[in-house]
Amino acid sequence: MLNDVSAVKFGAPAAERDINQGLKDYFIETGAFNRLKNHRKTIILGNRGTGKSALMKMLAKHFRTENAIVIEMTPEDYSYDLLQSALKKESDGSWAKVSAFTASWKYLLYVIALKKYQEALKTSFKTTAKNSHKYLRNNHKGSQQSSFDIFISYLNRIEGLKVGPYEAGIKSKELQHLYKLEEIIELLPELKKLAARKPIIFLIDELDKGWDGSEDAKMFVAGLFQAALSLNELSSNFKVIISLRKELHDNIPTLYDDYQKNIDLFEGLEWDEDSLFQLITKRIEHSISGLAYRNPKEKWNLIFAEKIMDIDSFKYIVSRTLYRPREIIQLCTESQDRAIEKRRNKIGINSVVSAEAKYSENRTKDISAEYKFQYPNLINLFEVFRGKECSIKRSELEDICSKIILGDLKTGVKLNWLDGQNEEFIINILWQVGFLLAKTTATVNNEQCHDYFGIHQISLINLGNIKEFSIHPMFRIFLGIKE
Ligand SMILES: Nc1ncnc2c1ncn2[C@@H]1O[C@H](COP(=O)(O)OP(=O)(O)OP(=O)(O)O)[C@@H](O)[C@H]1O
Ligand SMILES: [Mg+2]
C-alpha cells in the first residue's frame, strides 16, 4: 500500500514543466479551453497559478495538429529591462504613446507572420505573395533581427519623428504613414490569402514576467491589446491570443477603461471544488495504473484518508486554497512528501497539517509578492493580524483598521497606499486579495447556505453590510491565528 502513496505524481506546479510530465494526458478541457479553441475568446485573464500557461500549451498543441503555424512568444521576446534602455527618454510627455506602441506591435506581428509563411510555404510563397516577398527581401533580408529589435526599431522610427511645433507640419505626414502602417497595409490582401491556405496563431503568455510597473511597460501591454483586437479582425485564420494576470490588467488604466467594450473577448479563469477535484483525481489516475473505471472519490481515497479533523479530506485541503490549481498541486505534493517520510500508507491529518505550516508561509508571502506593484509590502498589513482570533466582528475589524490608519497599530514599514484612506478601503483590499472571508448567505450548488465565503467563491458588490468576517485558513498557521 505504501507504494500507492509514493507512486502518485501530482505533476509540476507550472505548466511549462508540467507539459513534459503528463499535462497532455491529465489536462481538463474546460469551457475556457473550448471557447479559446473556437476563437470565441482571445484574451485569457486569471490570477497566478490558475492555468493561463496550461491553456496556452494545450492550445499550441491543438492548433499544431490542425496544421496551423503556431508562434509561442516567450518573455525573452519582450524584456521590460531592454525596453527601458532602448527607448529614448523624452521630456515632452507621452502624446499618442499607446498608438505608437500599438502600431509597432501590429508591424511586428505582421512581419513575423510573413516570415513564418515564407519559411513554411517556401517557393509557393513567392508566387502567392509577390509583394510580401519583395518587402521582406528589401527590409528584413536574412536578418538576424530579434522580434524585439523589429519592434523597437519601428517604435524608434515613430519616436524619432515626434518633434516640436515648427517641424510638425512637415513630419506629420510621415508620422501618419507610420501610424497607419502604410508599408504593410498594401500587403494585407496577400496575408489574407496566405491565412486562407494555412491558419496562423500567435500565443502570447507571461507578459508579467520581468514586469516593472513603469509607464513604458503599461504602454507596451496596452499597445499589444489594441494591436491584437485589430489583427483578430483581419481573418478568421489569423489569431492573436493573449494571457494576462488579472491584477496587472486592473492596473493598466487604458485596458481597464476599455474592458467593458471588449468584455465578450475576455475569458476569466475560475475554478470550483468540483473542477479542482477532477483536476487532482485525474493526476492520481494518471500515475497509478488500473484506475480508469474507478470514480473520482475512490481514486482520492486510495491515497488520502477519508477525513481530516472530521471534515472530508478533499474539502479540508481545498478550503486551504483560493481555488487555484497550483495551490492544490502544491499542498497535495507537500502532504505526500510528509506521508512518505512518516511511512504512512495514506495521506492523513498528520501529513497534511505538518505540510500546511510551510505551505501557509509560502502562500502568505506569495500573495504579498503578487500584489507588489499595487500594494507594496502587503504582508505587513497581514502581520497586524498575527495571533488574533480567526473570526472577527465588523466592529473589531474597523477598530483594527482605524488604528492602522492612525498609526496606533504599527505596520513596520509605512504603507503609502493607505494614505488618506479609510477603514472600508482596507477591509476591501483584504477581501480582494482573498485574506478575509465574509459571513453571508450565498447559493452554492443550487443550495442556499449561510457561511463564510471568499472572493474566489462569490462576488460581493457591497462589503459594507457584512457583520462578520474570518481570516482565510490558508494564512492562519503562518500568522498564528487562533481557531
Ligand atoms: N485545465 C487544466 N487541467 C489540468 N491541469 C491544469 C489545468 N490548468 C492548469 N493546470 C495546472 O495547474 C498548474 C498551474 O497552471 P499554470 O502554470 O498554467 O498557471 P498560470 O496561470 O500560467 O500561472 P502564472 O501566472 O504563475 O504563470 C500547472 O501545474 C498546470 O499544469
Ligand atoms: Mg504561466
Side-chain angles (χ1 to χ4, degrees), residues 431 436-440 451-454 460 463 466 468-470:
W431 163 259
L436 284 181
L437 307 177
K439 190 159 199 181
T440 185
D451 205 343
Y452 289 104
F453 294 100
L460 269 184
L463 274 180
I466 303 294
E468 272 181 68
F469 296 88
S470 84

Side-chain angles (χ1 to χ4, degrees), residues 12-15 18 23 27-28 49-54 279 283 325-326 329:
D18 211 19
L23 184 60
F27 179 73
I28 313 268
T50 49
K52 299 180 296 297
S53 304
L279 178 139
R283 285 164 194 252
R326 182 172 299 147
I329 294 170

Side-chain angles (χ1 to χ4, degrees), residues 235-464:
S235 146
S236 58
N237 274 350
F238 190 116
K239 288 292 158 197
V240 184
I241 298 177
I242 304 173
S243 84
L244 201 59
R245 249 170 59 202
K246 192 175 173 310
E247 168 253 352
L248 224 139
H249 168 268
D250 295 352
N251 250 308
I252 302 177
T254 41
L255 289 191
Y256 199 61
D257 294 345
D258 280 351
Y259 177 69
Q260 287 301 331
K261 272 193 260 169
N262 303 308
I263 196 159
D264 56 318
L265 299 175
F266 281 84
E267 181 67 52
L269 298 188
E270 279 170 13
W271 294 84
D272 58 22
E273 287 190 11
D274 290 343
S275 49
L276 288 169
F277 193 54
Q278 202 193 344
L279 178 139
I280 206 74
T281 51
K282 261 199 147 177
R283 285 164 194 252
I284 298 175
E285 178 195 321
H286 176 75
S287 29
I288 301 177
S289 54
L291 294 187
Y293 296 104
R294 306 272 193 100
N295 70 38
K297 188 101 182 64
E298 286 171 330
K299 290 174 204 158
W300 175 262
N301 286 129
L302 202 64
I303 307 300
F304 287 87
E306 192 81 32
K307 301 225 176 231
I308 295 177
M309 303 205 193
D310 281 339
I311 305 172
D312 171 88
S313 55
F314 178 72
K315 283 212 186 305
Y316 182 92
I317 287 180
V318 82
S319 72
R320 265 67 195 157
T321 72
L322 296 170
Y323 284 4
R324 304 182 190 181
R326 182 172 299 147
E327 298 173 324
I328 291 275
I329 294 170
Q330 259 170 4
L331 187 49
C332 287
T333 308
E334 279 172 24
S335 304
Q336 178 195 25
D337 288 346
R338 298 294 90 77
I340 294 173
E341 273 166 26
K342 293 179 184 158
R343 304 182 157 273
R344 298 289 151 93
N345 59 6
K346 293 239 170 139
I347 304 173
I349 174 162
N350 285 317
S351 314
V352 175
V353 172
S354 61
E356 235 188 300
K358 190 168 136 219
Y359 170 82
S360 172
E361 175 173 352
N362 286 343
R363 291 302 297 136
T364 307
K365 291 178 176 168
D366 279 354
I367 291 288
S368 172
E370 196 169 321
Y371 292 92
K372 71 176 175 209
F373 290 106
Q374 218 171 347
Y375 312 123
N377 301 310
L378 183 60
I379 197 158
N380 293 61
L381 180 59
F382 296 159
E383 279 287 348
V384 170
F385 292 84
R386 184 170 283 281
K388 299 224 177 316
E389 299 280 334
C390 72
S391 50
I392 313 177
K393 297 239 177 320
R394 166 167 281 276
S395 54
E396 294 167 58
L397 186 58
E398 284 178 352
D399 189 47
I400 293 172
C401 294
S402 69
K403 282 185 176 145
I404 294 172
I405 292 168
L406 294 172
D408 294 343
L409 264 175
K410 302 281 180 239
T411 51
V413 292
K414 190 171 179 321
L415 305 176
N416 293 325
W417 37 276
L418 290 182
D419 285 350
Q421 301 292 357
N422 60 16
E423 291 80 4
E424 210 50 44
F425 178 82
I426 302 185
I427 296 175
N428 194 46
I429 287 175
L430 291 171
W431 163 259
Q432 294 295 336
V433 302
F435 187 78
L436 284 181
L437 307 177
K439 190 159 199 181
T440 185
T441 305
T443 309
V444 185
N445 295 334
N446 297 321
E447 256 177 70
Q448 281 227 332
C449 32
H450 192 64
D451 205 343
Y452 289 104
F453 294 100
I455 189 164
H456 55 295
Q457 297 165 304
I458 58 167
S459 56
L460 269 184
I461 307 304
N462 181 7
L463 274 180

Side-chain angles (χ1 to χ4, degrees), residues 96-300:
K97 218 41 198 292
V98 180
S99 35
F101 276 81
T102 307
S104 308
W105 266 114
K106 283 190 192 168
Y107 183 79
L108 171 64
L109 297 176
Y110 282 139
V111 170
I112 295 181
L114 290 176
K115 284 181 159 188
K116 291 285 172 183
Y117 277 120
Q118 189 176 41
E119 245 172 66
L121 303 177
K122 310 224 163 60
T123 43
S124 76
F125 178 79
K126 263 191 235 174
T127 47
T128 338
K130 270 201 197 91
N131 293 326
S132 305
H133 176 73
K134 224 187 279 168
Y135 185 79
L136 288 185
R137 197 186 53 205
N138 294 339
N139 297 281
H140 299 277
K141 194 183 170 199
S143 71
Q144 296 301 309
Q145 274 182 312
S146 72
S147 304
F148 196 72
D149 293 336
I150 299 176
F151 178 87
I152 288 292
S153 70
Y154 202 81
L155 194 60
N156 278 335
R157 273 167 78 189
I158 297 180
E159 301 279 311
L161 287 174
K162 289 187 190 168
V163 284
Y166 303 110
E167 291 165 90
I170 317 162
K171 294 208 171 169
S172 75
K173 232 190 173 158
E174 263 179 84
L175 204 52
Q176 282 306 315
H177 175 90
L178 287 174
Y179 275 130
K180 290 195 179 144
L181 290 121
E182 277 167 18
E183 339 174 344
I184 292 276
I185 288 285
E186 53 197 37
L187 307 177
L188 293 189
E190 288 184 355
L191 195 54
K192 278 189 203 175
K193 263 198 270 171
L194 293 166
R197 285 185 58 177
K198 199 172 175 61
I200 187 163
I201 321 279
F202 287 87
L203 300 172
I204 309 182
D205 189 19
E206 301 245 303
L207 280 163
D208 55 321
K209 204 161 203 171
W211 178 257
D212 58 8
S214 63
E215 278 309 297
D216 284 332
K218 288 181 186 171
M219 301 283 180
F220 186 75
V221 173
L224 171 60
F225 262 70
Q226 297 301 333
L229 292 182
S230 119
L231 264 57
N232 279 334
E233 300 295 318
L234 184 75
S235 146
S236 58
N237 274 350
F238 190 116
K239 288 292 158 197
V240 184
I241 298 177
I242 304 173
S243 84
L244 201 59
R245 249 170 59 202
K246 192 175 173 310
E247 168 253 352
L248 224 139
H249 168 268
D250 295 352
N251 250 308
I252 302 177
T254 41
L255 289 191
Y256 199 61
D257 294 345
D258 280 351
Y259 177 69
Q260 287 301 331
K261 272 193 260 169
N262 303 308
I263 196 159
D264 56 318
L265 299 175
F266 281 84
E267 181 67 52
L269 298 188
E270 279 170 13
W271 294 84
D272 58 22
E273 287 190 11
D274 290 343
S275 49
L276 288 169
F277 193 54
Q278 202 193 344
L279 178 139
I280 206 74
T281 51
K282 261 199 147 177
R283 285 164 194 252
I284 298 175
E285 178 195 321
H286 176 75
S287 29
I288 301 177
S289 54
L291 294 187
Y293 296 104
R294 306 272 193 100
N295 70 38
K297 188 101 182 64
E298 286 171 330
K299 290 174 204 158
W300 175 262

